[in-house]
Amino acid sequence: MARDYYALLGVSKGASDSEIKRAYRKLARELHPDVNPDQQAQARFQEISVAYEVLSDPEKRRIVDLGGDPLESAGAPGNGFGGFGGLGDVFEAFFGGGSTSRGPVGRVRPGADSLLRMRLDLEECATGVTKQVTVDTAVLCDLCQGRGTHGKSTPTTCDTCGGRGEIQTVQRSLLGQVMTSRPCPVCGGVGEVILDPCNRCGGDGRVRARREISVKIPAGVGDGMRVRLAAQGEVGPGGGPAGDLYVEVHEQQHDTFVRDGDDLHCTISVPMVDAALGTSVAVDAILDGPIEVTIAAGTQPGSVTTLRGRGMPHLRSGVRGDLHAHIDVVVPSRLDHDDIELLRKLKEHRTRDTAEVRSTQSGSTGGGLFNRLRETFTGR
Ligand SMILES: [Zn+2]
Ligand SMILES: [Zn+2]
């Protein structure tokens, strides 16, 4: 009797290619030996992989739909997986990883990368900085130099797997005999065992250690950027080459400036009278110290004065961005007797100045409400 490949994947006979694909993907995620070591799950995984292989091939699926079994004719009966070298390929096409172990893995393997976070203030981001940091990573075991063995002893071939690094099991299943292989649990897939391990590292060839290293952060870095320090990460198993260390910059908020790439923004509150008459205000700029910002006579609320080249240095070119000073005009809210007298005189003098009602959008020259709203939303 022909095997019911549709039932194995839990799809109907009329299922579309993408439904079949989805069903396989879902089941494979649950049953793959890497995630599910259960023996029955492994057998199931083989079955669904075969079912997918068949149903995703239009030619084979046609045979199934005609009531036949494409695998019966392809391979010898009772040895259903004889011609099935492609199992791993099906899986790899999906998940992009090697699903089947092939031979022993090396005992010496490259180490992992490490990540470290570093808080920097805006000034440090602007100037660049060199900081001492403490990193806690795996380092080479200095007692055995990564060999993992005690003294002059050497690793011996693993008895359990005979040095192959993997163990094969044959099971009976719906589809006949299923051959599964998994990494040897005794040697971890290496094919050899260390019977007399190093006292310090227990055979791993590496130990954890804290060490101080000096990290140079270049001028112009920004929040979230990572500086890579080659070969400063974890030493690998068996003393394998170290991974890289990444230092991720976390820029702290500045009291005055808001950063936008290489540009900086600040707000200058100018008293009404100064905005009308003109003045200059000292701004303590990053990298430049105090610089005078000229507020021209008649400056309107919401206007922006740009100081070219007073922003942050660009990370690569070093060319500096701009400093944008957003002008806020402050109307006095408390007036004493003399103030009122003076302002009344000014009003009598400026008979042309009258209130005016206009559209919020069309009349938005300078510091209209709409402009300011827009500035708020675009962050400018
Ligand atoms: Zn083994
Ligand atoms: Zn050691």
Side-chain angles (χ1 to χ4, degrees):
M1 193 187 130
R3 286 168 277 204
D4 190 346
Y5 296 108
Y6 290 103
L8 282 171
L9 289 181
V11 295
S12 66
K13 290 216 175 351
S16 68
D17 287 350
S18 64
E19 280 170 332
I20 288 168
K21 200 179 238 185
R22 224 176 307 128
Y24 172 65
R25 203 186 246 279
K26 190 168 168 290
L27 289 168
R29 282 232 175 82
E30 291 163 18
L31 300 169
H32 188 263
D34 286 352
V35 290
N36 195 337
D38 181 59
Q39 293 274 319
Q40 276 188 333
Q42 290 184 22
R44 274 276 289 148
F45 175 69
Q46 298 282 341
E47 290 169 1
I48 60 152
S49 296
V50 170
Y52 177 71
E53 172 89 320
V54 169
L55 295 180
S56 62
D57 180 332
E59 213 32 54
K60 291 189 182 131
R61 188 175 174 183
R62 207 172 54 84
I63 296 171
V64 172
D65 290 343
L66 291 170
D69 188 335
L71 299 185
E72 287 297 300
S73 51
N79 187 21
F81 295 94
F84 249 91
L87 262 189
D89 302 338
V90 174
F91 192 82
E92 274 162 29
F94 259 117
F95 298 93
S99 65
T100 48
S101 48
R102 301 198 201 283
V105 294
R107 200 177 67 81
V108 180
R109 291 195 296 277
D113 294 338
S114 337
L115 178 68
L116 196 84
R117 293 191 170 81
M118 185 186 276
R119 287 165 76 86
L120 294 179
D121 59 32
L122 189 63
E123 281 86 356
E124 289 171 324
C125 289
T127 57
V129 67
T130 300
K131 286 203 171 190
Q132 292 293 115
V133 293
T134 307
V135 287
D136 186 343
T137 58
V139 298
L140 190 70
C141 174
D142 57 0
L143 191 61
C144 65
Q145 296 299 318
R147 288 190 312 277
T149 49
H150 179 244
K152 289 198 163 51
S153 70
T154 50
T156 47
T157 302
C158 174
D159 285 339
T160 309
C161 64
R164 284 189 309 277
E166 58 180 29
I167 292 177
Q168 293 180 331
T169 22
V170 179
Q171 286 177 295
R172 288 206 55 82
S173 77
L174 269 182
L175 296 169
Q177 286 191 336
V178 177
M179 177 91 86
T180 55
S181 57
R182 61 194 167 100
C184 171
V186 174
C187 62
V190 175
E192 53 185 33
V193 285
I194 294 172
L195 295 175
D196 188 12
C198 167
N199 293 336
R200 190 162 296 164
C201 64
D204 195 29
R206 52 186 185 162
V207 287
R208 291 212 76 81
R210 285 171 156 262
R211 65 204 154 98
E212 290 264 311
I213 58 168
S214 167
V215 178
K216 189 176 183 300
I217 305 287
V221 291
D223 195 52
M225 286 184 185
R226 288 180 176 184
V227 176
R228 175 174 165 265
L229 285 92
Q232 295 283 1
E234 306 266 341
V235 161
D244 298 332
L245 172 68
Y246 289 89
V247 178
E248 190 175 273
V249 173
H250 282 232
E251 184 185 300
Q252 290 170 274
Q253 227 174 13
H254 192 267
D255 289 340
T256 307
F257 298 105
V258 173
R259 181 174 180 180
D260 176 20
D262 296 335
D263 287 353
L264 294 172
H265 296 259
C266 68
T267 296
I268 302 178
S269 293
V270 183
M272 177 185 80
V273 176
D274 287 335
L277 297 175
T279 186
S280 77
V281 178
V283 172
D284 200 5
I286 302 283
L287 294 178
D288 305 291
I291 47 176
E292 292 290 314
V293 177
T294 305
I295 311 292
T299 291
Q300 300 298 310
S303 61
V304 178
T305 300
T306 296
L307 302 163
R308 300 255 169 248
R310 300 291 194 171
M312 299 290 283
H314 188 266
L315 184 61
R316 286 190 184 77
S317 67
V319 175
R320 296 189 44 200
D322 301 331
L323 172 59
H324 305 280
H326 298 249
I327 309 300
D328 189 14
V329 174
V330 182
V331 177
S333 54
R334 278 189 197 158
L335 301 170
D336 67 17
H337 206 75
D338 292 347
D339 294 337
I340 295 169
E341 212 48 42
L342 286 165
L343 286 171
R344 284 227 167 102
K345 259 186 203 156
L346 182 64
K347 182 168 172 52
E348 279 162 26
H349 182 67
R350 291 188 64 89
T351 48
R352 298 187 313 277
D353 294 355
T354 51
E356 184 191 331
V357 180
R358 63 187 184 197
S359 159
T360 308
Q361 292 194 28
S362 62
S364 60
T365 45
L369 171 67
F370 185 75
N371 259 11
R372 266 187 279 170
L373 285 178
R374 195 166 52 195
E375 281 158 14
T376 310
F377 288 121
T378 58
R380 301 196 140 260

